[in-house]
Amino acid sequence: MKVKFYKKAIGCILAITMAVSMAACNSSTTEGETAALTPEEIIQSAETKIQEATSVESEMDMEIVMSMTGQNFSMKTNSIMSVFAEPLKAKMNTTVDVSELGSNNVEMYIGQEDGKTMMYTNMMGNWIKQEITQEQMTPYDTQQSMVKYLDSSTGLKEVGKEEVNAEEATKYEGVIARDTLAETMQSVGTTKNLEALLAGIDMTSDQLYEGLSDVKVAVWINAEGYPVKYEMDMTEMTQGLMRKVMQTSGVSAQEAAKLDVSTAKLSIINKNINNVTDFEIPEEAILATEASL
């Protein structure tokens, strides 16, 4: 597989991953009340609860496995995030392991400084400090991203109970419909990440998502009504995206059809809701020279 395609593939997958991953609440519902609610009403209540949470700790795992003409490519991403809503403060540690290309770790913080929202990123021991706008912060807002994904999930049905975070949670399954994929991804900032990928290409982000399959989702709601786990099976969607990306690189449709994505799944677990351990942004990050985005 050509290096050019690898770069395109990694860029597209990372765009999806970061948008989703950053993706990663006060009223309670009794068991009797829960039984009387529809799955849609339960999910809507969960949206409100996670949106109003004062703090959330999330762990995101994503795995991509694909092959073409005997060559294999895999990527595993793990992100651990802690977010405080007011005042806004967040930290994230992400490890990305890409096939034979090795692994990379990124440490990042978001906080307030002199009335500005700042992002502090540590890559290979070097801190970079940048001011970000509300729009630029969208992909890193775990609570709002979770709300938008829950809001986009349709056809939800209760399928049973499972243990999450050592407590019982009710599992619901549904889909993000194909005709809302572009809107959903745009709402959590994916379109911004895809701009560089589509630069110079006669294709809009809407066209990129056009004709793709529904995305299967599962949501686990605990007894207090919080969404404690969320899964997406993006295998078919990712295969469609990667085939389109390959064609923008000059690969024929026949060759692109040989690409097989066997796995593209994401899992987000929320815990310590309203009870996240506090942290301080490192002094060396705050003292770093400010750069522009």
Side-chain angles (χ1 to χ4, degrees):
M1 201 176 294
K2 296 180 179 180
V3 173
K4 185 176 181 180
F5 167 62
Y6 266 127
K7 290 182 178 179
K8 285 276 189 176
I10 294 170
C12 184
I13 293 169
L14 286 175
I16 297 169
T17 302
M18 292 304 292
V20 172
S21 68
M22 302 312 299
C25 314
N26 296 319
S27 61
S28 60
T29 305
T30 67
E31 185 175 348
E33 290 173 333
T34 300
L37 298 176
T38 65
E40 288 76 14
E41 291 170 332
I42 292 172
I43 298 304
Q44 288 174 0
S45 176
E47 289 180 36
T48 300
K49 292 179 74 67
I50 197 66
Q51 191 172 25
E52 295 177 352
T54 58
S55 61
V56 179
E57 181 179 335
S58 304
E59 181 167 6
M60 182 275 288
D61 286 286
M62 184 172 185
E63 182 177 14
I64 304 281
V65 180
M66 59 186 177
S67 62
M68 182 177 178
T69 60
Q71 294 183 323
N72 299 318
F73 171 91
S74 66
M75 185 179 83
K76 293 182 179 180
T77 302
N78 174 265
S79 294
I80 298 176
M81 299 158 280
S82 296
V83 180
F84 286 84
E86 188 62 41
L88 174 64
K89 186 170 67 170
K91 72 173 181 177
M92 179 175 71
N93 191 287
T94 298
T95 301
V96 181
D97 190 349
V98 183
S99 296
E100 298 177 356
L101 301 180
S103 62
N104 185 43
N105 181 268
V106 178
E107 180 183 10
M108 186 175 72
Y109 292 83
I110 293 177
Q112 303 295 311
E113 185 178 323
D114 298 327
K116 300 186 294 185
T117 300
M118 305 297 295
M119 177 187 293
Y120 311 88
T121 306
N122 182 3
M123 296 187 67
M124 302 179 66
N126 296 315
W127 283 100
I128 299 173
K129 179 170 71 173
Q130 301 165 309
E131 181 182 4
I132 59 174
T133 65
Q134 183 67 38
E135 181 183 0
Q136 291 167 334
M137 192 176 66
T138 299
Y140 310 101
D141 191 333
T142 56
Q143 289 166 262
Q144 290 303 317
S145 293
M146 176 66 74
V147 167
K148 291 184 181 298
Y149 279 110
L150 290 174
D151 191 52
S152 300
S153 302
T154 61
L156 290 158
K157 296 181 180 180
E158 182 179 338
V159 296
K161 296 184 182 296
E162 296 180 3
E163 189 173 281
V164 180
N165 299 330
E167 62 179 351
E168 187 177 77
T170 304
K171 181 181 179 180
Y172 300 86
E173 291 182 341
V175 299
I176 296 178
R178 68 188 73 183
D179 58 353
T180 64
L181 277 178
E183 180 182 352
T184 300
M185 296 304 180
Q186 289 167 2
S187 69
V188 293
T190 303
T191 301
K192 194 72 174 178
N193 290 327
L194 289 175
E195 286 181 359
L197 186 67
L198 299 175
I201 303 298
D202 187 21
M203 178 184 291
T204 65
S205 58
D206 285 338
Q207 291 172 325
L208 188 66
Y209 290 103
E210 186 178 358
L212 300 181
S213 302
D214 294 343
V215 173
K216 297 177 182 178
V217 301
V219 186
W220 285 257
I221 308 297
N222 70 3
E224 295 179 331
Y226 291 106
V228 290
K229 186 175 180 179
Y230 187 83
E231 286 187 348
M232 299 176 68
D233 186 344
M234 303 183 292
T235 303
E236 292 185 21
M237 183 192 78
T238 303
Q239 178 161 283
L241 282 172
M242 297 314 304
R243 286 178 175 176
K244 288 188 177 185
V245 169
M246 289 178 67
Q247 291 180 62
T248 66
S249 302
V251 178
S252 68
Q254 291 178 328
E255 285 297 311
K258 296 179 181 179
L259 172 71
D260 177 61
V261 178
S262 58
T263 302
K265 295 183 178 180
L266 173 131
S267 172
I268 300 174
I269 294 179
N270 296 321
K271 59 183 179 180
N272 296 326
I273 300 173
N274 296 322
N275 194 34
V276 174
T277 301
D278 200 3
F279 60 87
E280 296 295 331
I281 298 175
E283 184 177 4
E284 57 266 37
I286 296 174
L287 295 177
T289 301
E290 185 175 344
S292 59
L293 282 173

